[in-house]
Structures are given as C-alpha cells and as structure tokens.
C-alpha cells in the first residue's frame, strides 16, 4: 500500500481511492452475531445443602436459588423443616447452574479443583458448630479440607443462622483455616448464602 | 534547526565583551524570491521591516537573551533565542515549507488556532525521560494534569478534574478509539512514538472534537523536514520490576521527495515492589511498531502511516474480590491478601490489548495561502480481559471486545495577512463487537455508531499584540446497539414502560433489545489574547461543548470486581453540556516567569455513579451504584513558574487545585484530584558533558472534599452478625515523594551522541496510597526504583 500511494499524482484519484477504501472497510465490519444470548456456563444459581439424620428419619433441605445471577430479582431461600434436638446430621452441599440447559452440576468441578476451593460454615445464635466430615472425599489432594461434607450435632433447642461460603483460591495453610475458620482464608468469594436454622 | 543556531551563537556570542545596547542586522536569504511585505521579523519586543534587498536592522537592543522570530507564508518559520552581548550580523535562510500537513492540521506553535487558550506542551526531552513509563506519567508534569490509575501500568490522564470520555486523545491527528470510557483502560499508545505532546484544557480544540469537555491530549510524532537520516535507540533498565525497555527509531527527512520514519519498542517488566511487599501479578509486556512514508511534491504531499500497539498487563492479584466481605477485609487489613515471590510471569487477572491504526493523508496546496487536506484512518482495537475463574474458564477471556473505527477528515485552511481560517468535515463509522463466547454477559453491547461533524474556526490579529478567535462545530451521532437484558433488570430499570419499543425478541429469561439513540450537538469557543509590551500576557476563553453518554453509562449492568459494586447504566441519560471559562495571566520577567490559570467550569447533566441501594446475589449483598445526572461545577487554578536562578541553576514549580461540586445535592464530586505541588531544582552545566541534575519533590495533599459513599456489611464475629463499616470513600493521607534525575552526554563514536541517565524514583521508599488509584483499597503504591537509561543518537 505504501508503494502504490506514490502513483497518485492526481489528487482527485487519490480521494476517490480513499473514499472507496472507507466504504470497503466499513462494509466488512458487520460481523455481529446476536442470534443467541451469552451462555453463562460458569454461573452458580443454586446452592443446596441436604442434612440427613443418622437415625434414618427425613432429611432436611436448605435451598438458595438466584436464577438471574446479578439480575435485579432477590434470591429465594427455603428450609424444608426444623432440625430435631439431640440428633446427628450428615450434610452435603451441591452447587448448580440452573440457567444452563440441561441444569449443570458444578460440584464435580469444585471437587476436581479441590486445592483451589474450600467451603466454610459460620453460625450465629445458639446453634452448635458445623464440623467438616472426616471422609477422604471431603479433602483435597494435599489433605486439606474442601468441606462439601459437614456434620451437625444438635443438643438442646436453638436458633440462629448458618452461612455457607465457597472461597476460591483460599490460603488453606492459614491459621485455623483447615479447621474451618474463615478469618485468615483470604481468596475470593464465589458463593455466600445464609439460612435461618431452628432446632426444636 | 533553531537548536543549532542557538548552540552556534552561544559559542560566538559568549566570547564577546558586554555592552548595554546592541544592533542585530543581516539578510534574509531564500532560493525563491520572497515578498518583503509578507515577511515578519520579531526581535525581542521589536517588529522589524525588511528592505527591498531583503536585509534588516534592529537597533538599541539590551544585553540579554533575545528572541528572534521570522516568518513568511509558505516557508518554514525560524524561532530562536540568542544571548545578545555584542553587535551581530546574521543571515537567515528561509526554506520552502514541505510539511503542509503540519500546517493544515497542527499549527507549528499552537495546536489550536484558538490563541485565547494557552497550550501546555511536553517536549522530547521529558518524553524521553518517561520512555519506560506511560503517556499518563509524562503528562503529570503539567500543572493541572493528574492521573487516574489502576495499578501502575494502567494510567489515564485527568485534565482539570475530568478524564475518560471527557478527554479525547489525538494521536498523529487520529482520535484514539480504544474503549476509552473505561477507568481501567489505558490509552493504547507507546510514548516513545511522540515527539511532542500538547494538552489543551477545555473544549477549544474544535477541529478535533466537540465533546472534549475536559480537554484534549494531542500527540505529534517525529517528522523531520531536514535532508538527513538519523536514528535513536533508548535502552531503559528499572530495578523495580527488574525489567526494562528498548526503543529504536530511524528517520529519513527531506524537503522534497520521499521521507520516512520507523519505530519499534519492546518492554518487559516483572512484578513491581511496594516498600514492604511484592505487588503480585503486576508485570507487563509491550510491543509496538509504527512507521510512515511521505512523498512531497511541489504542490502536494501524500503520507501512509501504520502503527501497531500490543500490551499485556497483569492486574494485582489481590484486587480481585468476590463480594463485599472480601473487599472489607482487604481495606481493613491494609496489606494485599495475596503476596507471592517476585515473578516475571503474568497470571489472571490480566488485560491483553492490541491496537492498529492505518491512515492515509493527502494534502494539497491550492495557492500560497490556502491548503486542503484529506485523511482516511482505520483503527482496530481488540481488548481481552482475563479474570480469575474456575478450571478451564481461566484460559477464556472474561471480556472480548473488537472495536473498529473508520474516519474520513477533510480540512481546509486559509491564511491571509491577519486572518487565519480553518474549517472541515469529519465522518466516521464505528462497530463494536462483544464476543459471546466468553460465557459472561458483556459489559458493553454490540453497536454501530455513525458520526458526522463540521467545524469552522477563525483567528484575527488586530495587531501584533492583540488577537481574537472564535469557532463553531456541529456534530451528529447515532448509535444502534444490540443487547440482551435480563427481564428482571429490564423491569427493575422501568424500561418495560419507558422503552418497550427496544425489546424485539423474547429469549425466556432475557429480552433481545435494540436501543437506538441519536444526538445533535453544537459546540463553540471564543476568546482573545492580549500581549503588553512589558511582558504581560492575558488570555481569555469561553467554550461550550456537549458530550453524549458513552456505552458504559448507557448499558452497564453488572458487578465490578475491583470495587465490589454493581454498576447500572441508564438508557434515559441525556448528553452533558459544559461551559468553561478560563483565563491565563502570564508574565515573563528577565529571569522569572509565571503562568496563572484560574477557571470556572459548569456542567449541566454531568453523568456520575451514585450509590442507590443494595442487591443480594448468591455471592452476598452488593451495593448498587447507578449512572445519574446532576448539575456540576468545577473551579480551580493551575500555576506554573520558572526561575533561572543563575546560568546553571533553575527552579520550577507546578501547582494545581480543583474543586468539584454536585450542585443539586450540594456535595463534593468523587475522584477530584487533591491539591498537588511539584517543585523541581535543576542544575545544568554544558561544559561538563551537558551534566544535568534534577531533584523533584511531589507533594500531594489529602483530598478533603469527597462524597461519603461508605456502607455497612454484616460479618460474623463470635457467632454474631456484626455490622462493619466498608470505608470506600475516605481518601488516603497526604504524601510527599522525592525523585532524582541525572544525565550526561558523550560523543562515544563518530557521529554518535550517547546520553547516560541515572534516576531514582521515590528516593525515600515512602509507603503511600493515591486517592486516584483504583487499587488503593488493596495495596500501596510502588516503592523506590533505580533506573538507568542509555540513549544513542546517530
């Protein structure tokens, strides 16, 4: 292009070429592909925690659903029933993207990338603590907890909230982090959901 | 040329004895006949006429540095300073002007023919000092220009308190279109490609744009008219970041016929270091090329230009927050949450930006006084932003934007004796494409934009000491966007009632919408310049401009990870309308000069982000800020002084103060630069290999005028929810930095001049944070750095 420019001894010819170039360049810039909206595969819309009592009675489901992600609608929070006194519950948390079709279960991804993820369980009120489950599947390849599984042992009647936090790239070696203390975990939060809990 | 004359006369003149009154006489020589009545000669304060045999005489001149300015239409003007100590006989040769482009588009002394505003310029020597840094860092040397940073590599200029879309950047007569609306988007420009950078404060540069509410940054590349071939190589090494850059350029100049320039720059930096810790993931890379080829005939000139810019910038790891509690923890801990060992590698989050510019110019001389120029330019900007994501998504860009801009400019210039008239039309077509393959709903939608503008500016010299100017510009802009809105957001914004016509297709939870907007804007500028004989100058200018909302102000609807805020655009926004009055008083004494520049700026419908509430998502509760409009006013003052203490010592000062207020709410505007004062002491001695020593103090006070956007969040402490303040508003404390710069010149080889420079930034290794750094919540600014620069001119 640089060499051809020298040939334009006639200014009008040059203008004609410039104008032509304008039209060609502009016309080839319409590459919009708007036929489908963005598929937000990575989004977490739903957090489900299922607590099964060791005595075989009915499991309790904690469900947190926010189907529009960062959209304006408030999330929907449901707790299927109250916990019973003096029982031990084994809990498992799953993460789903219900905007994907079919619904995508994100939990295996978290397990696979276990070294980069950890769940934390914080309680308020008079509730007993939620402890990490001891099964090998609850730990990453370095032997640090991922924390999808917890054990909740009830004693007397109590009430409060449970906050489940999924941290991405936490410092698992931080003080007390392996025991489930979020204080020194750092990292960035992928999900943080709270449920009202009653023990009666 | 003027530099050579200056050097020559310093040698000749310095050897002569001192007299109080002297005479300068000589002859004007030219290969072509020149007209005596069209030749202007200014010597000191005198205006000299030339006689029929082209000679001139100026008598009764005092012993001092004397300015000589000679101009003749169609010829290169001569502007030089001689240290007058005896009578002089001197001949000046006028050369035909080859570079008509420079004359049509950019006036040789002032970029704006509006002489009623004073341009501020950064010259090559300063640009070279900043060879390893960015455009914004170099511009900060001017009073009234500060920087908005995201870390250290992303630096945007702020002019008199305004930035981003309000400050267009003109690179080699092309308006940079590089997603400049974003605060985290640095201008895509290699500072090594600049010969001169000019800042126009306010909207008076009407030939470039009608929406430069804040001002304009105009970059001119190297362009030699001399018949020479020369080259330059600059090598920079920096201890902070353990890297450096190499920039090399070749220039072939010519009066007539072919001339060309070529430049390449490579930059490689690792993690930067704050005084107490490594700023993890702050390395960057840059590779740039630019080149042009010009052919000059007797009546015309044709140029082809191409430039390529590519940079990869690491974003501080600790600045990625998932929710408000993460942010709160970062602010309260005062130490970045992620600190790892120094590394050159760049991980997510990072930016990867490419910018191409190709352009063709054709300039034609209609007659001695009139010129016509055509310019066609094409820009392609590709911006990829990578975020911290799960597993395979890490390799996938979180934001992928393609911005293509075609622009055609036709400009006409006419110069009669006391008149200077410029007018032109510009038309451009722009397309933005946001790739949906990112798996994240894009911040900026797809759109097509068409712009058309026309302007006329005139300047009239009533006398040599009094001139007035005025200009008018009209702009039309139309934007056709395509965006998917979540239905919940569409309804929450009330668009279902106000813009039902934009929703064209139902996609279940989302609407496909096609918003369309068009704007008609008129901008204008007028003012005068009065020069008194005793060295006082008065400049006064009033400008009126309009800026249309940019795509982020219209369309944003999502979480901003660096600020932990959900930002919402508004389709109801109208254009901003600005009126700025500026006065400059300048006085040149023998050894001291100052510029005092107060201004008052009123902006109707000023667009800004305002906190409006909270929204809860699966990551927790987030504050929501939306773009709103208010009536704003800014006033301030910029002061610059220069004092030649002695032959070797010089002091300079730059001070800037700005006060911004939201008139409707009677509250301060956010992100206004605090009062800053720069003092520089310089020692220069030519005899010692041109030794230059500089010590600079940079004092930035605490900004006490800021809106309170703080909020509370609940954090569980000892099994109870505790309400904790998230202080995102309070500006950091004042700080003072000291910088040192030194250089010497050597003639190492035949025809090669080598400049060796050594500098230290932040000598005292001060820990500080900058109010105008978006990462001030997460980490300190960089600490001390030692820099070595080797420059070879050959």
């Amino acid at each position: 292009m640089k060499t051809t420019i020298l040939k334009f001894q006639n200014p009008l010819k040059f203008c004609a070429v410039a104008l032509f170039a304008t039209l060609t360049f502009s016309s080839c810039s319409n590459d919009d592909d708007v036929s489908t909206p963005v598929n937000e595969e990575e989004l977490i819309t739903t957090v489900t925690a299922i607590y099964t009592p060791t005595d075989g009675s009915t499991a309790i489901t904690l469900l947190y659903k926010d189907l529009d992600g960062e959209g304006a609608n408030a999330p929907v929070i449901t707790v299927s029933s109250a916990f019973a006194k003096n029982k031990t519950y084994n809990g498992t948390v799953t993460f789903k993207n219900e905007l994907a079709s079919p619904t995508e279960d994100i939990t295996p991804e978290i397990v696979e990338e276990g070294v980069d993820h950890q769940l934390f369980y914080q309680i308020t009120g008079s509730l007993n603590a939620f402890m990490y489950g001891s099964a090998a599947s609850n730990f990453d390849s370095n032997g640090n907890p991922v924390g999808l599984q917890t054990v909740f042992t009830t004693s007397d009647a109590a009430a409060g909230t449970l906050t489940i936090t999924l941290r991405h790239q936490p410092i698992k070696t931080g003080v007390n982090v392996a025991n489930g203390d979020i204080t020194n975990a750092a990292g960035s939060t992928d999900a943080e959901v709270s449920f009202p809990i009653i023990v009666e | 040329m003027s530099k050579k004359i200056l050097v020559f006369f310093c040698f000749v003149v310095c050897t002569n004895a001192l007299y109080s009154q002297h005479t300068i006489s000589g002859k004007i020589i030219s290969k072509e006949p020149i007209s005596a009545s069209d030749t202007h000669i200014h010597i000191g304060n005198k205006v000299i006429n030339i006689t029929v045999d082209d000679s001139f005489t100026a008598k009764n001149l005092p012993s001092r540095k004397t300015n000589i300015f000679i101009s003749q239409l169609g010829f290169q003007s001569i502007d030089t300073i001689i240290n007058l100590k005896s009578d002089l006989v001197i001949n000046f040769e006028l050369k035909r002007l080859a570079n008509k482009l420079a004359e049509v588009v950019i006036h040789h002394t002032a970029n704006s023919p509006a002489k009623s505003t004073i341009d501020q310029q950064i010259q090559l020597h300063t640009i070279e000092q900043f060879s390893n840094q960015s455009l914004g860092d170099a511009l900060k040397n001017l009073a009234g220009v500060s920087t908005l940073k995201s870390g250290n590599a992303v630096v945007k200029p702020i002019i008199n308190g305004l930035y981003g879309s309000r400050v267009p950047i003109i690179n080699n007569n092309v308006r940079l279109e590089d997603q400049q609306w974003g605060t985290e988007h640095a201008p895509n420009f290699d500072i090594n490609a600049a010969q001169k950078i000019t800042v126009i404060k306010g909207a008076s540069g009407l030939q470039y744009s009608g929406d430069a509410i804040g001002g304009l940054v105009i970059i001119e590349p190297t362009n030699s008219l001399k018949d020479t071939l020369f080259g330059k190589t600059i090598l920079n090494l920096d201890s902070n970041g353990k890297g450096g850059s190499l920039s090399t350029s070749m220039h072939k100049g010519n009066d007539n016929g072919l001339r060309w320039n070529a430049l390449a720059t490579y930059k490689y930096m690792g993690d930067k270091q704050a005084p107490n810790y490594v700023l993890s993931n702050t390395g960057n890379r840059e590779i740039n090329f630019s080149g042009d080829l010009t052919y000059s005939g007797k009546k015309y000139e044709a140029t082809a230009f191409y430039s390529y810019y590519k940079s990869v910038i690491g974003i501080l790891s600790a600045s990625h927050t998932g929710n408000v509690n993460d942010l709160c923890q970062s602010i309260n801990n005062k130490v970045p949450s992620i600190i790892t060992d120094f590394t050159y590698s760049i991980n997510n989050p990072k930016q990867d930006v490419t910018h191409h510019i190709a352009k063709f110019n054709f300039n034609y001389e209609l007659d001695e006084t009139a010129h016509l120029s055509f310019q066609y330019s094409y820009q392609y900007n590709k911006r990829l932003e990578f975020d911290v994501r799960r597993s395979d998504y890490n390799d996938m860009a979180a934001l992928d934007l393609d911005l293509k801009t075609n622009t055609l400019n036709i400009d006409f210039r006419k110069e009669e004796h006391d008149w200077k008239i410029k007018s032109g039309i510009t038309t451009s077509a722009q397309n933005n494409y946001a790739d949906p393959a990112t798996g994240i709903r894009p911040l900026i939608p797809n759109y097509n934009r068409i712009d058309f503008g026309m302007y006329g500016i005139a300047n009239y010299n009533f006398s040599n000491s009094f001139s007035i100017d005025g200009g008018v510009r009209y702009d039309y802009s139309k934007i056709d966007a395509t965006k998917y809105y979540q239905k919940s957001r569409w309804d929450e914004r009330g668009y279902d009632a106000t813009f039902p016509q934009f929703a064209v297709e139902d996609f279940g939870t989302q609407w496909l919408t096609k918003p369309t907007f068009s704007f008609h804007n008129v901008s204008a500028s007028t003012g005068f310049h009065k020069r008194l004989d005793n060295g006082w100058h008065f400049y006064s200018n009033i400008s009126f401009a309009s800026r249309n909302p940019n795509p982020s102000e219209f369309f944003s609807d999502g979480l901003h990870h660096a600020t932990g805020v959900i930002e919402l655009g508004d389709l109801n926004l109208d254009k901003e309308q600005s009126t700025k009055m500026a006065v400059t008083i300048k006085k040149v004494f023998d050894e001291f000069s100052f510029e005092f520049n107060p201004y008052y700026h009123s902006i109707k419908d000023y667009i800004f982000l305002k906190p409006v509430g909270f929204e809860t998502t699966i990551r927790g509760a987030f504050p929501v800020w939306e773009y709103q409009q208010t009536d704003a006013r800014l006033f301030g003052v910029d002061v610059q002084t220069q004092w030649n203490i002695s032959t070797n010592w010089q002091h300079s000062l730059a001070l800037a103060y700005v006060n911004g207020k939201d008139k409707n709410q009677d509250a301060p505007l956010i992100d206004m630069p605090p009062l800053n004062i720069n003092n520089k002491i310089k020692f220069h001695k030519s005899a010692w290999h041109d030794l230059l020593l500089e010590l600079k103090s940079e004092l930035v006070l605490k900004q006490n005028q800021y809106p309170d956007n703080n909020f509370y969040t609940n954090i569980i402490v000892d099994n109870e929810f505790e309400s904790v303040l998230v202080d995102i508003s309070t500006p950091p404390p004042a700080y003072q930095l000291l910088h040192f710069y030194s250089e010497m010149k050597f003639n190492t080889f035949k025809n090669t001049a080598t400049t060796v420079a050594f500098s230290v930034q932040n000598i005292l290794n001060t820990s500080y944070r900058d109010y105008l750094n978006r990462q001030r919540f997460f980490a300190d600014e960089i600490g001390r750095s030692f820099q070595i620069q080797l420059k070879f001119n050959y």
Side-chain angles (χ1 to χ4, degrees):
Chain A
M1 260 175 178
K2 281 180 183 173
T3 45
T4 52
I5 201 103
L6 302 176
K7 293 179 192 157
F8 300 128
Q9 301 293 334
N10 181 343
L12 287 175
K13 239 185 220 172
F14 178 84
C15 299
V17 170
L19 210 65
F20 175 75
T22 315
L23 296 173
T24 3
F25 273 114
S26 10
S27 53
C28 65
S29 62
N30 272 323
D31 52 356
D32 299 31
D33 175 18
V34 293
S35 50
T36 52
V38 169
N39 181 12
E40 294 183 273
E41 301 163 309
E42 209 188 346
L43 197 72
I44 298 172
T45 61
T46 312
V47 180
T48 316
I50 298 174
Y51 283 89
T52 315
T54 45
D55 64 2
S57 53
T58 317
I60 297 163
T61 304
L62 315 180
L63 186 66
Y64 193 104
K65 222 185 230 200
D66 191 6
L67 287 180
D68 68 346
E70 286 163 15
N73 288 348
V76 178
I77 304 162
T78 50
V79 177
S80 62
S81 73
F83 287 78
K85 286 186 279 190
N86 300 315
K87 271 191 184 180
T88 298
Y89 293 85
N90 288 319
T92 314
V93 179
T94 52
F95 297 89
K96 279 193 228 118
N97 177 5
E98 294 190 68
L99 275 186
S101 124
T103 294
E104 194 188 358
D105 187 356
I106 293 166
T107 326
E109 234 176 76
I110 293 168
V111 173
E112 195 185 318
E113 273 204 321
V115 288
D116 277 338
H117 288 103
Q118 186 169 344
L119 280 86
F120 296 91
Y121 300 80
Q122 289 170 281
I123 39 131
T124 65
S126 48
L127 298 176
N128 289 341
F130 285 68
M131 311 301 289
Y132 286 139
S134 55
S137 56
N138 205 27
F139 293 84
D140 67 18
S141 52
N142 300 327
N144 293 316
V146 176
L148 287 161
Q149 301 156 30
T150 46
V151 181
F152 179 45
T153 309
T154 57
S155 40
D156 296 338
T161 59
L162 166 67
T163 302
I164 303 176
T165 306
L166 171 64
R167 278 279 166 93
H168 190 203
Q169 296 181 342
I171 304 170
K172 292 201 177 190
T173 51
V175 179
N176 279 330
V177 174
N179 298 328
D181 183 353
I182 198 169
T183 317
N184 300 305
S188 70
T189 303
D190 275 357
E192 184 182 303
V193 296
S194 291
F195 301 97
I197 305 285
I198 294 168
V199 180
E200 56 184 27
Chain B
M1 180 156 82
S2 57
K3 261 189 191 159
K4 270 193 183 161
I5 292 173
L6 177 67
V7 172
F8 174 66
F9 280 102
C10 285
F11 274 113
V12 174
V13 171
C14 291
T15 55
N16 287 323
L18 280 158
Y19 295 98
S20 55
Q21 298 288 311
H22 311 290
T23 301
I24 299 179
S25 60
K27 223 175 156 170
I28 304 293
I29 310 162
S30 171
K31 284 176 186 154
E32 294 166 60
I34 52 167
S35 130
S37 63
D38 282 345
T39 306
H40 299 266
I41 304 181
H42 298 256
I43 298 179
N45 291 333
K46 293 171 191 291
V47 180
I48 312 294
N49 293 320
I50 64 169
T51 57
V52 273
D53 64 343
D54 296 343
S55 62
F56 65 90
T57 309
K59 291 177 182 156
N60 301 330
L61 298 165
S63 285
R64 64 153 96 153
K65 280 184 183 161
T66 306
N67 210 340
I68 300 182
F69 180 75
I70 301 169
S71 69
Q72 155 84 38
L73 273 183
F75 290 85
Q76 294 169 25
S77 55
I78 295 170
D79 191 356
T80 184
I81 296 169
I82 61 166
N83 201 347
L84 192 62
K85 288 180 179 162
S86 70
D87 288 356
L88 262 187
V89 178
I90 172 171
N91 294 339
F92 290 100
E93 186 183 347
L94 283 179
K95 286 190 170 175
R96 257 274 157 212
L97 197 58
N99 189 356
K100 275 129 197 166
L101 167 67
E103 279 295 294
V104 175
V105 183
I106 296 158
H107 187 258
H108 64 282
T109 50
N111 275 302
S112 155
K115 285 183 177 167
S116 56
T117 52
I118 191 159
D119 292 347
Q120 289 196 300
Q121 293 182 342
I122 293 186
Q123 302 295 343
L124 187 61
H125 186 258
T126 311
I127 292 170
E128 286 175 350
Q129 282 189 24
F130 287 86
S131 165
N132 198 33
Q133 298 182 55
S134 68
L135 176 67
D137 292 314
L139 288 170
K140 224 171 118 178
N141 283 286
L142 299 172
V145 183
S146 17
T147 53
L148 180 73
K149 299 198 282 184
S150 293
N152 297 289
V154 177
V155 186
K156 288 171 88 78
I158 305 181
I159 300 178
N160 288 160
L162 302 172
Y163 59 84
S165 300
R166 298 182 180 107
V167 179
I169 292 173
I170 313 290
N171 173 16
N172 196 0
N173 205 38
V174 176
R175 181 181 169 136
L176 268 184
E177 291 291 346
D178 56 354
Q179 311 279 8
Q180 62 271 26
W181 45 265
T183 51
E184 285 90 6
H185 305 168
N188 294 166
F189 176 73
D190 170 22
I191 186 155
N192 291 289
Q195 167 86 12
K196 187 168 90 179
I197 306 170
T198 306
V199 167
I200 297 177
K201 297 169 183 169
S204 61
L206 289 177
Q207 73 266 43
Y208 298 106
S209 93
D211 62 355
I213 285 178
L216 280 167
V217 176
I218 298 161
I219 299 159
E220 292 164 58
T222 310
N223 201 352
S224 176
L225 302 179
K226 281 184 291 182
D227 186 6
T228 55
L229 173 67
F230 63 96
K232 182 171 81 176
T233 298
I234 301 182
L235 173 69
N236 294 288
L237 297 170
D238 192 336
S239 70
N240 200 328
K242 297 177 190 160
S245 64
L246 183 70
S247 177
T248 187
S249 60
M250 293 293 288
H251 311 272
K252 172 77 175 100
N254 227 335
D255 283 350
N256 262 308
L258 273 180
R259 60 175 195 271
W260 53 263
N261 302 283
L263 170 114
T265 303
Y266 181 69
K267 194 183 280 185
Y268 191 95
M269 301 291 288
D271 285 344
K272 294 282 172 51
Q273 171 97 37
N276 302 318
Y277 41 79
V278 173
L279 297 166
S280 288
N281 203 43
T282 55
N284 66 309
R285 319 272 185 266
E286 215 176 284
I287 185 158
N288 310 303
F289 168 81
S290 65
D292 66 74
L293 182 67
T294 301
Y295 181 80
S296 291
K298 199 170 159 60
K299 288 267 179 196
Y300 70 94
E301 186 176 278
T303 304
F305 168 89
Y306 170 74
S307 87
Y308 171 80
Y309 169 94
K310 159 123 185 145
S311 84
V312 178
I313 301 172
I315 306 296
L316 184 76
S317 301
S319 69
H320 177 94
T321 59
N323 73 1
V324 168
N325 290 357
D326 299 354
L327 176 69
C328 181
Q329 223 171 25
S330 286
I331 294 174
N332 295 342
N333 285 352
K334 300 196 165 60
V335 172
S337 57
I338 302 171
I339 300 173
T340 53
D341 290 341
F342 171 87
T343 171
Y344 285 102
S345 56
I346 297 174
N347 297 313
N348 294 358
K350 68 178 179 195
Q351 303 181 353
D352 181 334
V353 191
T354 314
H355 194 90
H356 301 262
I357 303 175
K359 72 162 189 163
F360 307 98
N361 288 82
F362 186 81
N363 306 303
Y364 189 70
E365 181 184 312
L366 299 169
D367 62 46
E368 293 261 301
T369 63
H371 297 84
L372 196 58
S373 76
F374 300 85
Q375 174 176 290
Y376 164 71
S377 66
Y378 173 70
Q379 295 182 75
Y380 173 51
N381 184 275
K382 182 155 187 79
R383 167 167 285 271
L384 297 172
E385 293 188 3
F386 295 86
D387 213 338
V388 180
R389 302 172 76 174
R390 275 199 314 274
S391 55
D392 299 341
Y393 298 113
N394 258 322
D395 302 326
M396 196 192 273
L399 182 70
D400 180 346
L401 300 175
D402 279 6
L403 183 69
K404 298 177 188 128
T405 314
N406 295 274
T407 309
L408 183 68
N409 296 72
I410 300 172
D411 296 277
F412 171 76
R413 180 180 63 97
K414 171 98 179 157
E415 270 184 40
E416 286 291 356
H417 203 77
D418 291 316
W419 279 99
K420 191 179 284 176
I421 295 168
K422 274 176 83 170
S423 71
I425 56 170
T426 171
T427 172
S428 78
Q430 186 175 75
N431 171 266
N432 186 56
Y433 175 67
D435 195 334
T438 56
I440 291 179
R441 293 184 319 110
L443 204 60
I444 296 298
N446 295 345
Y447 67 81
N448 282 308
R449 205 180 82 190
I450 302 280
D451 289 283
F452 171 79
M454 55 198 287
Y455 72 89
I457 327 171
N459 179 76
Y460 181 72
N461 295 326
F462 283 100
S463 69
N464 279 317
S465 60
F466 184 64
S467 68
I468 61 163
D469 60 65
V472 185
R473 182 178 171 115
Y474 163 79
D475 285 285
Y476 168 75
S477 182
K478 182 167 188 285
I479 184 164
D480 291 299
T482 306
K483 179 177 162 75
Y484 286 93
Y485 270 96
Q486 288 177 309
K487 285 182 175 171
S488 59
R489 180 65 67 204
W490 186 255
D491 296 347
E492 179 270 330
R493 300 270 82 198
Y495 296 155
D496 50 340
T498 46
F499 297 109
Q501 72 277 21
F502 290 161
V504 294
E505 204 177 332
D506 191 337
F507 278 83
T509 57
Q510 303 189 64
W511 285 114
L512 170 61
T513 68
K514 299 209 163 181
T516 296
F517 302 97
S518 58
F519 295 93
H520 298 270
N521 295 341
V522 174
S523 38
S525 164
T526 184
F528 69 86
H529 170 211
K530 171 74 184 162
R531 177 167 58 88
L532 302 179
D533 280 344
N534 52 11
W536 285 93
H537 291 256
F538 297 95
Y539 300 81
S540 174
N541 175 276
I542 179 162
S543 60
F544 177 78
S546 305
R547 181 183 73 87
N548 303 329
N550 65 37
S552 75
E553 291 160 344
F554 270 139
F555 303 114
S556 288
D557 71 337
L559 181 65
H560 201 296
H561 283 279
T563 50
V565 162
I566 292 177
E567 293 181 1
L568 299 180
D570 189 349
L571 297 179
N572 293 296
L573 292 177
D574 202 356
K575 63 194 172 196
E576 283 182 347
Q577 295 185 310
S578 121
T579 309
K580 183 173 182 176
M581 279 161 282
V583 172
T584 303
I585 299 165
K586 182 173 150 184
K587 165 75 178 157
V588 183
F589 299 93
D590 286 350
E591 306 301 345
F592 182 77
S593 62
F594 74 84
E595 258 178 59
F596 179 76
N597 170 212
Y599 56 88
Y600 183 89
H601 198 166
S602 163
I603 306 173
K604 187 172 167 288
D605 294 328
Y606 177 82
I607 301 172
F608 72 114
L609 272 171
K610 187 184 171 189
V612 290
F614 286 84
E615 271 178 17
T616 306
T617 77
I618 208 142
R619 289 171 195 261
F622 290 92
V624 179
W625 291 16
E626 70 176 35
Y627 283 102
Q628 291 195 356
Q629 296 191 287
T630 186
D631 291 339
R633 71 108 183 91
L634 292 92
F635 67 78
V637 64
D638 300 334
V639 179
Q640 293 198 105
T641 69
Q642 186 154 323
W643 178 26
N644 299 321
I645 306 167
S646 71
T647 334
N648 301 122
W649 291 91
Q650 196 185 65
H651 171 263
S652 56
L653 172 139
L655 174 153
Y657 171 77
V658 57
N659 181 305
K661 195 166 162 185
D662 175 342
K663 286 200 287 190
N664 297 3
Q665 290 189 93
D666 196 26
L669 290 179
I670 197 168
D671 288 344
M672 285 291 134
L675 175 68
N676 57 83
I677 304 166
N678 291 329
N679 273 288
K680 191 160 81 179
I681 291 227
K682 195 157 103 177
F683 174 84
H684 178 239
K685 192 155 174 84
S686 321
W688 300 346
H689 290 285
D690 255 326
L691 174 71
L692 179 69
L693 301 172
E694 281 181 8
L695 185 65
K696 187 175 167 184
S697 143
E698 189 182 342
L699 175 66
V700 179
L701 296 186
K702 184 181 172 181
Q703 177 58 277
N704 291 314
Q705 305 282 318
Y706 60 92
D708 185 354
N709 294 335
N710 291 343
F711 57 90
Y712 287 85
T713 184
N714 287 324
I715 288 182
I716 299 171
V717 182
D718 295 333
N719 294 352
E720 290 303 329
F721 280 112
E722 194 175 285
S723 187
V724 180
L725 177 74
V726 185
D727 183 0
I728 53 166
S729 308
T730 311
Y735 61 88
Q736 182 174 22
L737 305 177
L738 292 177
H739 311 296
F740 171 75
Y741 178 83
S742 62
E743 69 169 43
M744 284 175 101
K745 291 191 173 77
F746 302 95
N747 287 316
T748 33
F749 311 103
K750 200 183 172 214
N751 298 329
T752 303
T754 305
T755 308
V756 180
F758 170 72
S759 58
V760 189
Q761 300 274 311
N762 192 359
I763 299 172
L764 302 176
N765 209 18
T766 306
S767 291
Y768 68 103
R769 295 194 184 195
D770 191 320
Y771 177 51
L772 295 163
N773 193 332
R774 305 294 252 179
Q775 290 179 1
R776 72 181 165 91
F777 302 137
F778 310 106
D780 287 342
E781 296 283 326
I782 61 172
R784 187 190 296 130
S785 87
F786 297 97
Q787 290 158 11
I788 292 170
Q789 186 181 76
L790 297 175
K791 186 178 80 184
F792 306 98
N793 287 89
Y794 40 86

